[in-house]
Amino acid sequence: ARSMGGQSTTGSDDESAELSAALASPDAGVRAAAAAGIKDHADHASLERLGALTEDENPSVAVEALLALGRLEAPELGRRARACLKHAEPERRKGALRSLATAGTTELRELATAALGDDAWDVRLAAAQVLAGLGGVAAYEALERQLARERDDTVKAQLEGLLEASRAQGGRAG
């Protein structure tokens, strides 16, 4: 599966079959590597398998599948990301945010803003980073509101840095 890394999967039927087999492997490392190797295209069967892998028992596999769906701007990304944002594991929630940032979907700001209220400090931080990357008035204001209510010193410090960088780039007016 690693040999497919960085490759488009627009190639032969043999490559599609190899990718499908790797995505269905019993080895979590192979499944994760196969998902990570998908860069700009996947056949229908592989897209379906990626969607199913967002629910994989291994969080690394689920995150790589989400990131692949984001890179592909797959129509089901929003639904799959929403489900992962509700998952008990913070790694899946952070992966969902990263996948949406990769895709640049319109749902991103809404989901990232909601994730600012997550119980896990690192998920809140990931959401803040995604919002800062989006820029614009709504993102800036969401970060300001979060700074006022944030209880974790690490996240507060990062929020202050993100807001300062946004001000320096004229982000509030964007």
Side-chain angles (χ1 to χ4, degrees):
R2 290 213 182 269
S3 66
M4 289 180 279
Q7 305 275 326
S8 167
T9 57
T10 58
S12 70
D13 289 341
D14 288 343
E15 289 172 337
S16 293
E18 181 183 342
L19 176 62
S20 290
L23 290 172
S25 172
D27 184 307
V30 172
R31 291 192 309 275
I38 297 173
K39 300 299 180 199
D40 60 14
H41 179 78
D43 62 24
H44 181 71
S46 295
L47 280 173
E48 285 184 359
R49 187 70 190 140
L50 281 171
L53 288 177
T54 64
E55 300 171 15
D56 197 274
E57 64 188 30
N58 184 299
S60 296
V61 173
V63 168
E64 289 299 340
L66 282 165
L67 292 172
L69 289 173
R71 286 189 300 274
L72 296 169
E73 297 185 17
E76 69 179 82
L77 173 63
R79 180 174 60 84
R80 296 291 185 170
R82 278 187 195 278
C84 284
L85 283 168
K86 295 175 185 173
H87 200 279
E89 295 170 338
E91 286 305 311
R92 287 182 201 256
R93 298 194 306 268
K94 290 187 295 185
L97 290 165
R98 289 195 320 265
S99 72
L100 291 166
T102 301
T105 66
T106 56
E107 289 180 276
L108 177 57
R109 183 171 282 121
E110 172 191 322
L111 293 172
T113 300
L116 288 172
D118 198 278
D119 290 338
W121 69 270
D122 52 344
V123 175
R124 293 193 307 275
L125 179 57
Q129 291 167 337
V130 166
L131 283 168
L134 287 173
V137 174
Y140 185 91
E141 290 174 350
L143 292 173
E144 279 187 322
R145 285 190 303 273
Q146 184 61 27
L147 178 60
R149 69 178 173 249
E150 182 56 54
R151 57 196 179 276
D152 184 275
D153 291 337
T154 301
V155 178
K156 274 186 182 181
Q158 290 292 317
L159 283 165
E160 289 169 350
L162 292 169
L163 287 164
E164 181 61 34
S166 180
R167 282 191 290 272
Q169 295 174 356
R172 183 165 188 161

